[in-house]
Amino acid sequence: MLTQKVEKILVTQIEKEAYSSHLYLAMASWAENSGFEGTAQWLYAQSEEEHMHMLKFVAYINERGGKSIIPAIKQPPIDYADIRELFEQVYKHEKYISGSINEIVGICMEDKDYSTNNWIQWFVNEQIEEEKAVKTIIDKLNLIGAHSLYLFDKDIVSMRNTGTKV
Ligand code: FEO
């Protein structure tokens, strides 16, 4: 059984994961319309991953006797100045999500909910991977000039196709 505090913060995370999925979907659409097909593919895949994250929270809360609440999702931004700004926003968002996952760990410790603490560790590791992947993309963007953006976009596709975790 979840404590009230643990249940409350897990329910809050459903909304954050749903928004992450929505945000990356909006970014994917922007990238597609801006001619960045590789980036769009990467973002569509990220959006699906975030949807899976949301489902994990819904299932876990219900499994542990809590009540999952499916929230309204706010509208993500529509436009980005350029591809660099877009990835900076992804990075900022993932750091924010890492912060909320760490808060969940903190509440689990406070309430001595070691089972949920154990369960949430998958997300702790996932966030390390996601931050690392986006940081790698930003580093690549910093290394290339604007004229090489086409090659960058192709490179992002190959990162997904070869199974590199991005
Ligand atoms: Fe599910 Fe990338 O946070």
Side-chain angles (χ1 to χ4, degrees), residues 13 16-17 20 24 46 49-51 53-54 57 93-94 97-98 101 122-123 126-127 130:
Q13 194 65 27
K16 292 182 182 176
E17 300 293 342
S20 303
Y24 298 155
Q46 287 303 112
E49 264 191 33
E50 298 300 349
H51 182 73
H53 292 174
M54 179 200 67
F57 278 92
H93 185 72
E94 286 303 328
I97 295 293
S98 299
I101 298 293
W122 183 88
F123 283 93
E126 178 73 4
Q127 284 310 120
E130 291 202 341

Side-chain angles (χ1 to χ4, degrees), residues 25-157:
L25 184 59
M27 287 175 166
S29 179
W30 177 87
E32 200 165 48
N33 283 328
S34 307
F36 290 107
E37 279 175 43
T39 304
Q41 272 183 40
W42 188 87
L43 287 161
Y44 279 125
Q46 287 303 112
S47 174
E48 272 181 33
E49 264 191 33
E50 298 300 349
H51 182 73
M52 291 305 294
H53 292 174
M54 179 200 67
L55 292 180
K56 277 179 190 273
F57 278 92
V58 171
Y60 182 78
I61 294 164
N62 288 340
E63 220 173 84
R64 299 299 312 283
K67 190 175 178 191
S68 285
I69 297 164
I70 308 306
I73 309 168
K74 68 175 190 253
Q75 158 111 52
I78 299 167
D79 282 317
Y80 297 88
D82 52 32
I83 205 84
R84 186 185 305 268
E85 193 218 323
L86 182 146
F87 278 108
E88 291 288 356
Q89 291 297 322
V90 173
Y91 192 40
K92 190 174 154 200
H93 185 72
E94 286 303 328
K95 284 193 282 189
Y96 161 72
I97 295 293
S98 299
S100 14
I101 298 293
N102 286 339
E103 271 177 46
I104 295 174
V105 173
I107 298 287
C108 289
M109 300 302 266
E110 265 176 48
D111 280 15
K112 298 188 171 29
D113 182 347
Y114 301 115
S115 316
T116 304
N117 185 35
N118 186 46
W119 176 80
I120 200 75
Q121 291 307 311
W122 183 88
F123 283 93
V124 171
N125 291 320
E126 178 73 4
Q127 284 310 120
I128 293 171
E129 289 300 313
E130 291 202 341
E131 278 190 35
K132 193 176 113 195
V134 182
K135 178 74 170 48
T136 302
I137 292 174
I138 292 172
D139 288 346
K140 278 178 193 281
L141 272 169
N142 287 336
L143 283 172
I144 62 175
H147 61 283
S148 301
L149 276 177
Y150 176 77
L151 290 174
F152 161 82
D153 191 52
K154 285 242 175 296
D155 190 35
I156 295 295
V157 179

